[in-house]
Amino acid sequence: MTKFVITAGHDSVKDPGAVSTLNGVQYTEAKLMTELRNIVRFYLEKVGHEVVTDGTGDTNKVLREAIALIPQGEVAIELHLNAATAKTAKGVETIGNPKHKEISKKLSKAIANVLETQLRRDEGFFEYSKVGRTLGYVKAGGIIVECFFITNNNELQTYFNKKWLVARAIARTLHNHYSEGDFDELFNKA
């Protein structure tokens, strides 16, 4: 089986990332993405993969420590959320290097299908060289997955209703791209 690196964006202690409030409750990008990381890990390990993460529970490592994990896996993804002033901004995108274009588009499409939202940029892919700023995780060979807009209440609520399905879609996409055998069959046999 394959070895994957799955990390959660932002330092859960010092940098919460994007923040939004839904129904009077405040949510942070770091907390939501550490939970998603843990669920993706569960699915991947259930079908026999080895998963390296940047923490357990609701903690994760600072960026330089997450970057140091990238070479340990066949592929490394860091889970993030987008944010915008416009509460209607929506969609999924990945940021990566050209060598990851195919898997990036597949990940974006899988998440967009579950959340019933749109693909941003080039079918969900944003090439790192066009970002216009340095993203250490991508520069080091990883992929940043911007799962949805935390500032869009509809997307946030849909995510809460479907987070296990989002995690399964990410795990299925990674498995089916890098490994043999149907993910769902393997999962049901485990």
Side-chain angles (χ1 to χ4, degrees), residues 5 8 16 33 51 91 93-94 97 126 133 153 161-162 170 184:
V5 175
M33 293 301 94
V51 180
E93 65 187 343
T94 55
N97 292 303
F126 191 25
R133 61 187 173 27
N153 286 344
N161 295 340
K162 297 181 173 186
I170 292 168
D184 293 314

Side-chain angles (χ1 to χ4, degrees), residues 23-162:
N23 300 324
V25 178
Q26 188 178 67
Y27 297 96
T28 68
E29 178 179 3
K31 179 133 173 103
L32 294 176
M33 293 301 94
T34 54
E35 180 184 38
L36 183 61
R37 173 205 62 205
N38 297 341
I39 302 170
V40 171
R41 179 182 186 174
F42 162 78
Y43 280 120
L44 287 170
E45 288 179 343
K46 184 88 170 173
V47 297
H49 297 291
E50 185 177 347
V51 180
V52 175
T53 67
D54 61 340
T56 58
D58 62 355
T59 63
N60 62 333
K61 297 182 188 296
V62 295
L63 180 59
R64 74 179 176 284
E65 294 174 4
I67 288 171
L69 301 174
I70 292 172
Q72 295 182 39
E74 176 75 23
V75 70
I77 66 168
E78 184 163 84
L79 302 168
H80 280 266
L81 296 175
N82 249 327
T85 305
K87 299 287 186 186
T88 56
K90 64 182 180 177
V92 181
E93 65 187 343
T94 55
I95 304 168
N97 292 303
K99 73 176 185 174
H100 291 127
K101 187 174 185 175
E102 183 181 355
I103 185 59
S104 294
K105 285 183 174 185
K106 287 179 181 180
L107 286 165
S108 290
K109 184 176 181 183
I111 295 167
N113 285 342
V114 172
L115 295 178
E116 300 175 29
T117 192
Q118 69 188 33
L119 294 171
R120 296 173 53 83
R121 314 289 181 171
D122 175 15
E123 298 176 49
F125 177 69
F126 191 25
E127 187 176 323
Y128 171 64
S129 65
K130 297 177 182 175
V131 171
R133 61 187 173 27
T134 300
L135 297 173
Y137 200 86
V138 179
K139 186 177 180 181
I143 301 168
I144 291 177
V145 181
E146 299 279 2
C147 296
F148 63 92
F149 276 79
I150 191 173
T151 49
N152 181 316
N153 286 344
N154 291 332
E155 285 202 338
L156 183 56
Q157 185 61 61
T158 302
Y159 171 74
F160 285 135
N161 295 340
K162 297 181 173 186

